[in-house]
Amino acid sequence: MSETPQQPQEPQQPPQPPPGYGYPAGPGGPQDAAPPGRPGPGPYGYPQAGPPYPGYAHPGYQAPGYPGPGYPGPGYIPPGTFTGDPQAPYGYDVLGRPYSEKSKIVAGVLQLTLGSFGVGRFYMGDVGIGLAQLFTCGGLGIWALIDGIILLVSDDKTDADGRILRG
């Protein structure tokens, strides 16, 4: 068998992409065009600084002037802040009821520890119930214990002025 010598083949070059793709071809190409008033592109065709184009927000960011998800809008007053209202010195709860300067946690702990003397009810301003607990030794301690637990757990207990106890 006779062998014919084969010519060495040159390696094939991959096809070149059309201009405007990949690395910049040099100054003055289509990648260097920028609208008037906008920053020019960087070395790879991306803008380097400046605000985004109008109408296009960055992914994951809210547009300026609008609250983000989970944040309250303008005019929101968090519960428990002083609003300057003398009828509600500690603000309003989520249902619009004014908060008291008294705390339900303090009232509940006082009622659990010194409830047989009615101290938790005296703290809240309920003098009549406080005197009844004082004279009955807090219902032999049972009334004071149940009353202290109810004060700690409930959200609708009020002071002598009818304001909701802060929690």
Side-chain angles (χ1 to χ4, degrees), residues 3-135:
E3 277 187 38
T4 58
Q6 292 183 349
Q7 298 285 338
Q9 293 182 356
E10 292 183 26
Q12 295 240 340
Q13 295 291 327
Q16 297 296 322
Y21 291 97
Y23 293 106
Q31 70 275 1
D32 288 339
R38 304 300 295 174
Y44 297 108
Y46 295 107
Q48 296 298 314
Y53 291 100
Y56 296 97
H58 292 289
Y61 293 100
Q62 282 292 104
Y66 295 101
Y71 292 102
Y76 173 76
I77 299 172
T81 57
F82 181 68
T83 59
D85 186 4
Q87 298 299 321
Y90 290 93
Y92 296 93
D93 68 348
V94 293
L95 298 176
R97 302 175 296 185
Y99 277 125
S100 172
E101 65 272 1
K102 309 278 191 286
S103 171
K104 75 174 187 175
I105 296 173
V106 172
V109 169
L110 283 173
Q111 191 65 23
L112 286 174
T113 57
L114 300 170
S116 57
F117 302 114
V119 175
R121 286 298 183 155
F122 284 123
Y123 170 76
M124 290 173 42
D126 293 334
V127 179
I129 297 177
L131 285 173
Q133 287 181 348
L134 177 65
F135 293 138

